[in-house]
Amino acid sequence: MLMNAPLKIAHVGPVATAIPPPKSGSVEQMTSLLTEGLVARGHDVTLFATGNSTTGARLHATFEHGYWEDEHMWPWELYEMLNLAAAVERARDFDLVHYEAAYFPISLAFARLCPVPLVQTLHHSPTTAEVALWSRYPQVGFVAISDEQARLLAGVSVVGTVLHGIDTARFTFREKPDDYLLFLGRFTEGKGVLQAIEVARKTGIRLIMAAADEAYYREKVAQHVDGQHIVYYGEAGFEEKVKLYGGARALLYPIQAREPFGLVLAEAMACGTPVAALDRGAVREVVDDRITGVVFSDLDAMVAGLDTVLCLDRRRVHEQAVARFGVDRMVRGYEDVYRHVLATSPLARRR
């Protein structure tokens, strides 16, 4: 195969909802951006996703819609597995299969059955026990989304590291924000929403929280919402999200868990909005400290140093984010990974 020849790629996305997602869904968003970027660069891509997805690639739909939209699609793991199985059954039509592992790498079970190389991107931070289990299939390549995640994947085959990208042109730069802080992300303990509320209260700045209403919100967060100083916005669609980012003086990211990337950081910065983040997971790989935001050691330091964040040059924040997180950089990174796998895999050599 010529090194610059177009590739035939089976790109397997989640079947939770449409690709791209109508509202939230970072894995679905990344799957869409990579698919369309690969198509734009001349590759022959088949996207395995729900029938209500929108793509410039060929679409193979085993299911018309996703299980987030249909409570009768249960167990959801079976729908994910059958969507992946459809790609493996057609694997001889492709040079490789790329699986977007939203929850866990189901693709491992197909590794010794698939006649072409199979790679996967994992979208969470794995535990030591998970990696020990996955190491039973050393022939399957993982594409890490940060150096932080690559370290956690020690024990399996990491074939490359590619930071997420965003369509920076769609994130409108805003030089003069409104007077509020923003929390955007899922309502879970690990995301640090209660800590964001604490920062807002101690600094006296209004906080807007945008995320889907789920059990953790009702049980732990709703009691703090007063509609004036602590405001619940609801789940935001893309255009609403961009407006919220641009209007915020800063994005609060008091993360409690070790996130492997932090997509909201890149999105906020692309709008010119600096971030106040705790030093957890891959934060230092995404945030340029004292340029696009400030990375704090603990919550007290964040409260004391928030003024430093608010004084950062928003135009410089925007320009740095555009330079670092453009989608074309991500697409080229995956191209390099694919070609490396095809050059070194025994399966590819046999073909």
Side-chain angles (χ1 to χ4, degrees):
M1 178 182 295
L2 297 176
M3 283 303 295
N4 294 321
L7 302 176
K8 293 183 178 180
I9 303 163
H11 197 193
V12 185
V15 288
T17 187
I19 294 176
K23 287 194 174 182
S24 58
S26 59
V27 182
E28 290 78 10
Q29 188 63 44
M30 288 300 99
T31 301
S32 177
L33 288 174
L34 179 55
T35 298
E36 304 316 307
L38 290 168
V39 170
R41 288 184 56 76
H43 299 289
D44 185 352
V45 184
T46 299
L47 175 64
F48 289 77
T50 59
N52 57 350
S53 297
T54 303
T55 180
R58 306 171 195 269
L59 179 62
H60 181 111
T62 303
F63 309 106
E64 182 55 34
H65 55 261
Y67 48 81
W68 285 356
E69 303 148 29
D70 187 347
E71 63 181 11
H72 299 293
M73 293 177 69
W74 185 90
W76 61 264
E77 295 94 336
L78 182 59
Y79 291 87
E80 291 284 354
M81 186 179 69
L82 293 180
N83 184 54
L84 173 60
V88 175
E89 288 162 4
R90 292 184 49 194
R92 294 187 187 280
D93 296 338
F94 308 107
D95 295 315
L96 57 79
V97 176
H98 180 186
Y99 177 59
E100 300 285 352
Y103 302 101
F104 40 80
I106 301 172
S107 48
L108 291 172
F110 295 90
R112 295 166 189 157
L113 305 175
C114 188
V116 301
L118 194 157
V119 299
Q120 56 218 333
T121 301
L122 188 71
H123 291 267
H124 71 272
S125 293
T127 66
T128 302
E130 286 176 321
V131 174
L133 176 63
W134 303 341
S135 66
R136 293 169 178 260
Y137 291 84
Q139 66 271 59
V140 182
F142 285 77
V143 185
I145 61 175
S146 63
D147 291 337
E148 158 74 7
Q149 191 192 58
R151 287 191 292 271
L152 297 176
L153 286 169
V156 299
S157 176
V158 177
V159 292
T161 299
V162 183
L163 293 176
H164 283 333
I166 60 175
D167 187 353
T168 54
R170 297 186 67 196
F171 289 88
T172 307
F173 169 65
R174 183 167 167 184
E175 191 160 8
K176 294 183 179 180
D178 298 325
D179 190 18
Y180 65 84
L181 303 171
L182 178 66
F183 173 89
L184 196 149
R186 296 194 314 277
F187 285 131
T188 66
E189 183 177 357
K191 294 293 185 180
V193 59
L194 296 181
Q195 288 75 15
I197 292 172
E198 184 178 346
V199 171
R201 283 179 170 163
K202 289 183 176 180
T203 58
I205 306 175
R206 185 166 64 116
L207 174 68
I208 294 179
M209 303 178 296
D213 178 357
E214 44 194 335
Y216 185 84
Y217 170 76
R218 295 187 294 272
E219 294 168 5
K220 302 291 185 180
V221 181
Q223 60 190 292
H224 301 286
V225 175
D226 58 20
Q228 295 187 9
H229 186 65
I230 307 297
V231 179
Y232 176 50
Y233 181 89
E235 186 178 13
F238 185 83
E239 298 301 328
E240 297 170 300
K241 181 170 67 171
V242 171
K243 289 180 180 178
L244 286 168
Y245 281 139
R249 296 180 68 187
L251 175 79
L252 297 185
Y253 193 75
I255 195 74
Q256 301 297 295
R258 292 178 63 174
E259 288 281 328
F261 187 77
L263 192 62
V264 294
L265 298 171
E267 292 179 343
M269 295 185 301
C271 295
T273 299
V275 301
L278 289 184
D279 193 1
R280 306 280 192 279
V283 162
R284 288 193 179 274
E285 295 181 60
V286 183
V287 180
D288 294 303
D289 197 26
R290 309 281 168 167
I291 298 174
T292 58
V294 179
V295 181
F296 298 99
S297 59
D298 56 46
L299 206 64
D300 289 339
M302 182 181 289
V303 171
L306 188 62
D307 281 345
T308 304
V309 180
L310 303 182
C311 291
L312 292 174
D313 184 337
R314 292 178 69 93
R315 184 166 293 279
R316 190 179 183 194
V317 172
H318 164 74
E319 290 173 350
Q320 184 76 351
V322 169
R324 290 198 61 207
F325 298 111
V327 69
D328 189 58
R329 186 267 314 151
M330 178 182 70
V331 174
R332 290 175 183 271
Y334 274 102
E335 278 185 318
D336 291 343
V337 169
Y338 296 157
R339 295 193 189 282
H340 168 72
V341 168
L342 291 171
T344 58
S345 169
L347 289 175
R349 286 198 293 272
R350 283 200 291 270
R351 279 170 60 85

